[in-house]
Structure formats: C-alpha cells, structure tokens
Amino acid sequence: MRSRVLGAALFGLGVLALVFAGGLAFVVAPTVEQLPYDLKPTQSVAVAPNARFLQITAGKAEVVEGVELRSTITVTPDAKATSALSDPLDGEAVVWLVGQQVVRTDTNALISAYSTSLALDRQTAAAQPWDKAWLDTGNNQESIAYSGQIYKFPFGTEKKDYEIYDRDILKTVPAKFVKTQQIEGLETYQFTQEIRDEIQELPADRLTVLTSQLLKGGATGKVHYNNTRTVWVEPATGQYLKVEEKQSKSLVSDDGQSVSILDATFTYTDDTIKNAAETSGDNRQKLQLVGVWAPIGLAVLGAVLIIAALFLLNRRQTAPAAPAPKHNPRHSASGAADDTTAEVDTNDDTTVDTSKTSAQKAE
C-alpha cells in the first residue's frame, strides 16, 4: 500500500515537472525574448580620431582636419508613448526616444545632432510603421517612416543578411553576414553594410550656405554620401557589441567641383564595448536559463520521476501471493500411521472384549 501511494505521488510530480518544462520553453521563454517596457537608458560612445569634417559656426562653413570627433547616442524608453500605442502595435512594440550628439573633443564644440522617436517590434527590434514617428536634425521636426534594423538586431540573430536603416539617406540598405568573431569572450556575428555614392538630402537653406561658401561661382550642388558600416552582434540578444562606421561625404557641384566635407571612421570606445559585452552576457545567461537549461532540467527530472513511479506501481501489481504450505510426505505418513494406530487400538479393544466373552461361555 505504501509503495502504491509513493508511486502515484512520484508520477504526479513527474507530470507536473514536464508541464513546467513545456511552459518555460513555449510560454515563458518567448515572452522573455522581447524588448522590456522598463528598459534602462543606455549610452553608446564612438570616437573618430584624425577626422575631417564640416563645421558651421554663426552661418560660416569651414572644413576642419586632424581633429578627433566623439559621437554619443542615448536611448531612452518612452513609457507614455508606448502605453498610448493602438492595434496592431499595442503589446507588440515599444517606443524609444533616441538622440545623438557629435562634438570635437579639443573644444567640445557641437558639430551635429539629431533626436528621434520611433516604434520597435519587441522581438525583432525592427522599426514598425507608426504615424507618430518623428526626426529632428536641428532645423525642424518632421514625420519619418522608419523600417528595418536601426539600433538593435533580433533576438536569435541568424547568419543571414539584414536591412539596416540609414538616417542620412532615409532608407534601408542590406547588411551582409560576414563571419563570427570573439569579442570580450562572447561569440558575435559580424555584418557589413556598404553604402556607395548615395545622395543625402539637406534642407535648402543649409545647402545654399554650403554651396555659396565652399563652391566657386555660386554653383549648385549635392552631397554625395558613402559609408561602410560594420556591426558585431551578440546573436542570442541581438545587441550591438561593437560598431564601426567609415563615413565620407563630398559636396559635388553640377559643373564638377568637389569638396570633401567628411572623412571619419567612428568606432565604439573600449568602455562601450566592455559595458555592452557585460550587459549582453548577463542577458544571454538569463535567456539560456529560461529557454534551455531550466526546461531541459525539468524534463529530465520529470522523466526520472515517472520512470521511478512506474517501477514502484508495476512492482506492487506483480508482487507474488503468499506461498501455500508445502506438502511434507513425512508428516503425512506420520498422520496416516496415527490414524491407523487409532483404528488398530479400537479393533484390539473389540478383540479383547470378544475373547473375554468366549472364555465366559467356556466356563
């Protein structure tokens, strides 16, 4: 009886462990692999040593060479805008406020800046169509239609090409998977995006300042833009561990004049790479615990408990019945002999009585 109760209890615990394993793998894990609503603000810093760039001060444009630039991108979740999202974005997207400032490190003078608001899919981190997305480059705030990856790759990044949105040309360009590489002890996927001879649209007043001051003869022109953007992505979390951008811009006139207004290679600082690796490593461990190791452990435990329960229950059902008393020939013979003796004794008594009667008759 005790084995039967124990077996039933073990079987129930085993089934419960399997249910929890499935719940973690198929219900909890997918919810963990999403951008959180309570994301803490983050900063990424990149520097471009010995850069050539355009600086406009009080309406005067000049090209500066041999100076280091520092770019700082700050990402902050917009809880209020996220809570106001309607279908189909409600519950599926988060709104981020992002700002960037580029300064020259020798004087700390501001060279360029922008701020923007966009909605990102919580799982793929791709920009989603949202009618309230905006971009402000310092002149005025305008509506913008984002798409593709911008500040992050999907959870479970694959070894394939992805579309990365470029803010300067306002469209996506493919980033091709190149190879895997170890950074700060973590395996990363390297992707490279090549942007070649694209036209950057500038506000008319700004373009007029550039052409009038940098081109001869009052010629009109356009800004030609090139960028080789390389990102190293931790695949489980989709987080950027390192980013490098080799940017160049030239103001080209209709009559063939050309002036280089940007030539700089921006690369994440060592501190930014280290912090990104620590954060990504911690998040990776959490994802693996919930999505892999905990379900496997519970599944193994459940299987062991069920096997043990079936063993106990089967052992109880097939337990042999109590053995019948063994046949003892010697005991049986003795019993028979006793019975015979009893009969003989009875017969002897009868014989004696008969003998006595016969004697009495003879007398």
Side-chain angles (χ1 to χ4, degrees), residues 3-24:
S3 297
R4 189 172 183 178
V5 172
L6 180 59
L10 291 179
F11 186 84
L13 290 175
V15 171
L16 189 62
L18 292 179
V19 170
F20 273 112
L24 283 176

Side-chain angles (χ1 to χ4, degrees), residues 64-78:
V64 180
E65 295 187 73
V67 176
E68 183 181 72
L69 296 177
R70 182 176 67 247
S71 167
T72 303
I73 295 179
T74 303
V75 175
T76 305
D78 189 338

